[in-house]
PDB file of all heavy atoms in Angstrom:
ATOM      1  N   ILE A1224      14.478 -18.297  11.894  1.00  0.00           N
ATOM      2  CA  ILE A1224      14.662 -18.777  13.260  1.00  0.00           C
ATOM      3  C   ILE A1224      16.071 -18.457  13.767  1.00  0.00           C
ATOM      4  O   ILE A1224      16.267 -18.109  14.940  1.00  0.00           O
ATOM      5  CB  ILE A1224      14.410 -20.301  13.340  1.00  0.00           C
ATOM      6  CG1 ILE A1224      12.962 -20.635  12.943  1.00  0.00           C
ATOM      7  CG2 ILE A1224      14.721 -20.830  14.730  1.00  0.00           C
ATOM      8  CD1 ILE A1224      11.911 -19.914  13.755  1.00  0.00           C
ATOM      9  N   GLN A1225      17.054 -18.544  12.867  1.00  0.00           N
ATOM     10  CA  GLN A1225      18.436 -18.272  13.282  1.00  0.00           C
ATOM     11  C   GLN A1225      18.678 -16.808  13.630  1.00  0.00           C
ATOM     12  O   GLN A1225      19.679 -16.473  14.270  1.00  0.00           O
ATOM     13  CB  GLN A1225      19.398 -18.713  12.170  1.00  0.00           C
ATOM     14  CG  GLN A1225      19.470 -20.226  12.010  1.00  0.00           C
ATOM     15  CD  GLN A1225      20.375 -20.630  10.855  1.00  0.00           C
ATOM     16  OE1 GLN A1225      21.539 -20.239  10.812  1.00  0.00           O
ATOM     17  NE2 GLN A1225      19.847 -21.389   9.910  1.00  0.00           N
ATOM     18  N   LEU A1226      17.768 -15.921  13.208  1.00  0.00           N
ATOM     19  CA  LEU A1226      17.896 -14.507  13.568  1.00  0.00           C
ATOM     20  C   LEU A1226      17.451 -14.238  15.002  1.00  0.00           C
ATOM     21  O   LEU A1226      17.855 -13.250  15.616  1.00  0.00           O
ATOM     22  CB  LEU A1226      17.056 -13.641  12.628  1.00  0.00           C
ATOM     23  CG  LEU A1226      17.409 -13.613  11.146  1.00  0.00           C
ATOM     24  CD1 LEU A1226      16.450 -12.690  10.411  1.00  0.00           C
ATOM     25  CD2 LEU A1226      18.855 -13.155  10.931  1.00  0.00           C
ATOM     26  N   LEU A1227      16.590 -15.105  15.528  1.00  0.00           N
ATOM     27  CA  LEU A1227      15.937 -14.831  16.817  1.00  0.00           C
ATOM     28  C   LEU A1227      16.905 -14.653  17.980  1.00  0.00           C
ATOM     29  O   LEU A1227      16.715 -13.748  18.811  1.00  0.00           O
ATOM     30  CB  LEU A1227      14.918 -15.934  17.121  1.00  0.00           C
ATOM     31  CG  LEU A1227      13.732 -16.010  16.147  1.00  0.00           C
ATOM     32  CD1 LEU A1227      12.830 -17.195  16.486  1.00  0.00           C
ATOM     33  CD2 LEU A1227      12.928 -14.705  16.169  1.00  0.00           C
ATOM     34  N   PRO A1228      17.966 -15.488  18.120  1.00  0.00           N
ATOM     35  CA  PRO A1228      18.883 -15.274  19.254  1.00  0.00           C
ATOM     36  C   PRO A1228      19.515 -13.889  19.240  1.00  0.00           C
ATOM     37  O   PRO A1228      19.668 -13.262  20.298  1.00  0.00           O
ATOM     38  CB  PRO A1228      19.936 -16.377  19.066  1.00  0.00           C
ATOM     39  CG  PRO A1228      19.215 -17.444  18.306  1.00  0.00           C
ATOM     40  CD  PRO A1228      18.299 -16.714  17.375  1.00  0.00           C
ATOM     41  N   TYR A1229      19.893 -13.409  18.064  1.00  0.00           N
ATOM     42  CA  TYR A1229      20.475 -12.068  17.961  1.00  0.00           C
ATOM     43  C   TYR A1229      19.470 -11.014  18.388  1.00  0.00           C
ATOM     44  O   TYR A1229      19.798 -10.097  19.160  1.00  0.00           O
ATOM     45  CB  TYR A1229      20.930 -11.812  16.522  1.00  0.00           C
ATOM     46  CG  TYR A1229      21.329 -10.375  16.277  1.00  0.00           C
ATOM     47  CD1 TYR A1229      22.595  -9.910  16.614  1.00  0.00           C
ATOM     48  CD2 TYR A1229      20.418  -9.478  15.715  1.00  0.00           C
ATOM     49  CE1 TYR A1229      22.964  -8.588  16.414  1.00  0.00           C
ATOM     50  CE2 TYR A1229      20.778  -8.154  15.491  1.00  0.00           C
ATOM     51  CZ  TYR A1229      22.047  -7.715  15.840  1.00  0.00           C
ATOM     52  OH  TYR A1229      22.390  -6.394  15.634  1.00  0.00           O
ATOM     53  N   LEU A1230      18.229 -11.145  17.918  1.00  0.00           N
ATOM     54  CA  LEU A1230      17.196 -10.165  18.259  1.00  0.00           C
ATOM     55  C   LEU A1230      16.916 -10.164  19.755  1.00  0.00           C
ATOM     56  O   LEU A1230      16.707  -9.115  20.374  1.00  0.00           O
ATOM     57  CB  LEU A1230      15.920 -10.450  17.474  1.00  0.00           C
ATOM     58  CG  LEU A1230      16.050 -10.407  15.939  1.00  0.00           C
ATOM     59  CD1 LEU A1230      14.718 -10.773  15.272  1.00  0.00           C
ATOM     60  CD2 LEU A1230      16.501  -9.020  15.475  1.00  0.00           C
ATOM     61  N   GLU A1231      16.921 -11.355  20.363  1.00  0.00           N
ATOM     62  CA  GLU A1231      16.695 -11.462  21.794  1.00  0.00           C
ATOM     63  C   GLU A1231      17.846 -10.803  22.577  1.00  0.00           C
ATOM     64  O   GLU A1231      17.618 -10.102  23.559  1.00  0.00           O
ATOM     65  CB  GLU A1231      16.531 -12.926  22.202  1.00  0.00           C
ATOM     66  CG  GLU A1231      15.219 -13.524  21.706  1.00  0.00           C
ATOM     67  CD  GLU A1231      15.067 -14.991  22.108  1.00  0.00           C
ATOM     68  OE1 GLU A1231      16.004 -15.521  22.758  1.00  0.00           O
ATOM     69  OE2 GLU A1231      14.034 -15.589  21.781  1.00  0.00           O
ATOM     70  N   ARG A1232      19.083 -11.036  22.147  1.00  0.00           N
ATOM     71  CA  ARG A1232      20.231 -10.434  22.837  1.00  0.00           C
ATOM     72  C   ARG A1232      20.190  -8.915  22.749  1.00  0.00           C
ATOM     73  O   ARG A1232      20.553  -8.213  23.700  1.00  0.00           O
ATOM     74  CB  ARG A1232      21.554 -10.934  22.211  1.00  0.00           C
ATOM     75  CG  ARG A1232      21.933 -12.350  22.575  1.00  0.00           C
ATOM     76  CD  ARG A1232      23.395 -12.618  22.310  1.00  0.00           C
ATOM     77  NE  ARG A1232      23.793 -12.291  20.939  1.00  0.00           N
ATOM     78  CZ  ARG A1232      23.694 -13.139  19.919  1.00  0.00           C
ATOM     79  NH1 ARG A1232      23.228 -14.364  20.117  1.00  0.00           N
ATOM     80  NH2 ARG A1232      24.075 -12.771  18.717  1.00  0.00           N
ATOM     81  N   MET A1233      19.727  -8.393  21.626  1.00  0.00           N
ATOM     82  CA  MET A1233      19.674  -6.950  21.416  1.00  0.00           C
ATOM     83  C   MET A1233      18.429  -6.322  22.041  1.00  0.00           C
ATOM     84  O   MET A1233      18.288  -5.101  22.079  1.00  0.00           O
ATOM     85  CB  MET A1233      19.693  -6.653  19.921  1.00  0.00           C
ATOM     86  CG  MET A1233      20.978  -7.054  19.221  1.00  0.00           C
ATOM     87  SD  MET A1233      22.351  -5.949  19.642  1.00  0.00           S
ATOM     88  CE  MET A1233      21.896  -4.483  18.726  1.00  0.00           C
ATOM     89  N   GLY A1234      17.495  -7.147  22.513  1.00  0.00           N
ATOM     90  CA  GLY A1234      16.277  -6.631  23.089  1.00  0.00           C
ATOM     91  C   GLY A1234      15.340  -6.017  22.071  1.00  0.00           C
ATOM     92  O   GLY A1234      14.592  -5.083  22.379  1.00  0.00           O
ATOM     93  N   ILE A1235      15.381  -6.552  20.857  1.00  0.00           N
ATOM     94  CA  ILE A1235      14.559  -6.016  19.766  1.00  0.00           C
ATOM     95  C   ILE A1235      13.226  -6.767  19.731  1.00  0.00           C
ATOM     96  O   ILE A1235      13.196  -7.986  19.564  1.00  0.00           O
ATOM     97  CB  ILE A1235      15.284  -6.151  18.414  1.00  0.00           C
ATOM     98  CG1 ILE A1235      16.576  -5.335  18.444  1.00  0.00           C
ATOM     99  CG2 ILE A1235      14.386  -5.713  17.262  1.00  0.00           C
ATOM    100  CD1 ILE A1235      17.479  -5.562  17.245  1.00  0.00           C
ATOM    101  N   PRO A1236      12.097  -6.082  19.899  1.00  0.00           N
ATOM    102  CA  PRO A1236      10.794  -6.752  19.887  1.00  0.00           C
ATOM    103  C   PRO A1236      10.498  -7.360  18.517  1.00  0.00           C
ATOM    104  O   PRO A1236      10.915  -6.854  17.489  1.00  0.00           O
ATOM    105  CB  PRO A1236       9.809  -5.621  20.211  1.00  0.00           C
ATOM    106  CG  PRO A1236      10.624  -4.508  20.751  1.00  0.00           C
ATOM    107  CD  PRO A1236      11.968  -4.631  20.133  1.00  0.00           C
TER     108      PRO A1236
END
Side-chain angles (χ1 to χ4, degrees):
I1224 298 304
Q1225 290 177 55
L1226 297 180
L1227 295 176
Y1229 170 82
L1230 300 177
E1231 290 180 359
R1232 285 198 307 273
M1233 295 287 287
I1235 298 171

